[in-house]
Amino acid sequence: MPKMNMLQAINNALDIAMAADDKVICFGEDVGIFGGVFRATSHLQEKYGRARCFNTPLVEQGIIGFANGLAAQGSTPVAEIQFADYIFPAFDQIVNESAKFRYRSGDLFNVGGLTIRTPYGGGISGGLYHSQSPEAYFAHTPGLKIAVPRNPHQAKGLLLAAIRDPNPVLFFEPKRLYRASTGEVPEEDYQLPLGQAEIVKEGGDITLLAWGAQMEIVEKAAELAEKEGVSCEIIDLRTIVPWDIDTVVDSVLKTGRLVVTHEAPLTGGFAGEIAATIQERCFLYLESPIARVTGLDTPFPLTLEKEYMPDHLKVFEAIKQSMAF
């Protein structure tokens, strides 16, 4: 089984999808010969031609509006927004058009073939316009699916599933893991299920829940906790919408404790939705309050990035406080 980094796995998934289906079209800012700002689309234009992999103007609302039109007429567009921070000009198209196409037509037409790829998150000294994690904005919108991989194997399998899913899917890629995360990835075509969390490690004392780049942080925190005799169950949510409530509930019923972490700010972050749902389902089984370890309620600070980021030490402190409650 070949080793790939996350960028290579994403490129491989796009290559497989385009080879298998002529309707798959890849476009965005600089995705052509340049291969995208991170080179995720390298060699795709060379291989499939300018009609199926091409550059767009620097207008995000136009990119998604164009993608909606293509998808509504039977194509399978994979649109790239160069950074998740740039997705907001396209917010109207995604929330008011992509998410509602099927509903407003009574299923006479839809844009279910649409996939939107975008790199998110901090850790690259990108400053306030290249480091945000906007998944919670879109989780509030019925009609969308949201997936976030943590490693190359997941990136390929989840992206292929997203491209072939009959619903519009937002695919958030943790940019600081693009080259830092490597692992074995099958050469063949495979898909991982959307809406299904993965229990990465079983444990009995406390449940740790994260997705994307925060999974590495959670695993480091769990190692510190294990040295102090705390048995951690680690769950990778993988899909924000729909999120796998039952897997998390079953874990918390067993452990009685839950720590959720994400890079996005605390207020309105998706950890709040998780906490509310789990306390409704597990209230009488909880041994301590559900803890959220998140980014700060402030614009992403360039010079104070390390202070802003919810690192393994902050998660470890939350674990200790939960256990001592």
Side-chain angles (χ1 to χ4, degrees):
M1 199 180 296
K3 275 199 169 185
M4 299 183 188
N5 63 30
M6 187 174 285
L7 279 173
Q8 292 167 327
I10 290 166
N11 182 266
N12 185 226
L14 292 170
D15 190 6
I16 287 173
M18 294 178 80
D21 185 356
D22 290 343
K23 293 181 179 179
V24 178
I25 302 171
C26 178
F27 53 90
E29 296 165 4
D30 299 322
V31 305
I33 292 297
F34 190 60
V37 69
F38 293 103
R39 307 298 187 269
T41 54
S42 293
H43 306 300
L44 295 180
Q45 186 178 90
E46 180 183 328
K47 189 171 184 179
Y48 297 101
R50 291 175 178 269
R52 294 187 60 202
C53 181
F54 51 87
N55 296 335
T56 64
L58 306 183
V59 52
E60 286 76 18
Q61 185 173 16
I63 292 171
I64 304 304
F66 178 62
N68 283 334
L70 281 174
Q73 297 184 57
S75 293
T76 305
V78 182
E80 178 182 300
I81 300 297
Q82 196 171 74
F83 287 88
D85 313 61
Y86 301 170
I87 206 166
F88 299 112
F91 194 80
D92 173 61
Q93 283 294 323
I94 296 170
V95 169
N96 279 330
E97 304 300 337
S98 305
K100 297 176 173 63
F101 242 76
R102 179 182 284 118
Y103 177 80
R104 70 181 179 136
S105 74
D107 202 25
L108 291 175
F109 50 85
N110 67 73
V111 295
L114 171 62
T115 301
I116 302 168
R117 293 180 42 250
T118 189
Y120 84 95
I124 65 163
S125 299
L128 72 167
Y129 288 131
H130 298 80
S131 306
Q132 296 175 78
S133 301
E135 66 271 11
Y137 291 99
F138 299 99
H140 191 63
T141 306
L144 301 174
K145 290 188 177 182
I146 304 171
V148 190
R150 79 170 189 273
N151 59 31
H153 180 267
Q154 281 197 4
K156 179 176 176 178
L158 289 174
L159 181 54
L160 283 168
I163 292 170
R164 292 158 179 170
D165 193 272
N167 298 278
V169 181
L170 278 162
F171 194 79
F172 286 101
E173 301 165 4
K175 70 173 83 73
R176 72 179 174 86
L177 298 186
Y178 267 157
R179 291 181 175 84
S181 178
T182 60
E184 292 185 341
V185 179
E187 290 183 323
E188 67 268 16
D189 187 333
Y190 67 93
Q191 297 176 207
L192 296 175
L194 301 179
Q196 183 176 314
E198 179 186 0
I199 299 174
V200 176
K201 177 183 174 298
E202 294 191 358
D205 293 331
I206 190 167
T207 301
L208 309 180
L209 179 63
W211 51 87
Q214 281 305 106
M215 286 303 300
E216 180 185 26
I217 300 302
V218 159
E219 289 172 340
K220 287 182 179 179
E223 289 178 8
L224 295 176
E226 296 282 348
K227 292 177 181 178
E228 298 199 4
V230 179
S231 174
C232 300
E233 181 143 298
I234 302 174
I235 299 178
D236 178 4
L237 201 56
R238 296 203 297 196
T239 311
I240 305 298
V241 179
W243 70 283
D244 189 352
I245 298 173
D246 289 341
T247 293
V248 181
V249 165
D250 290 345
S251 177
V252 176
L253 289 177
K254 177 176 68 172
T255 66
R257 294 177 171 86
L258 175 63
V259 174
V260 189
T261 178
H262 58 61
E263 285 186 35
L266 176 70
T267 302
F270 197 68
E273 175 65 28
I274 294 169
T277 301
I278 296 304
Q279 75 86 19
E280 287 175 356
R281 297 275 293 269
C282 305
F283 182 73
L284 295 177
Y285 293 82
L286 289 173
E287 300 290 343
S288 65
I290 296 169
R292 293 176 289 167
V293 184
T294 70
L296 307 179
D297 287 337
T298 179
F300 201 102
L302 174 59
T303 56
L304 297 174
E305 182 175 58
K306 289 184 178 179
E307 285 71 17
Y308 177 95
M309 295 286 282
D311 63 14
H312 63 292
L313 297 177
K314 293 178 183 178
V315 175
F316 180 44
E317 284 301 315
I319 293 171
K320 290 194 292 184
Q321 290 177 16
S322 181
M323 294 303 300
F325 184 81

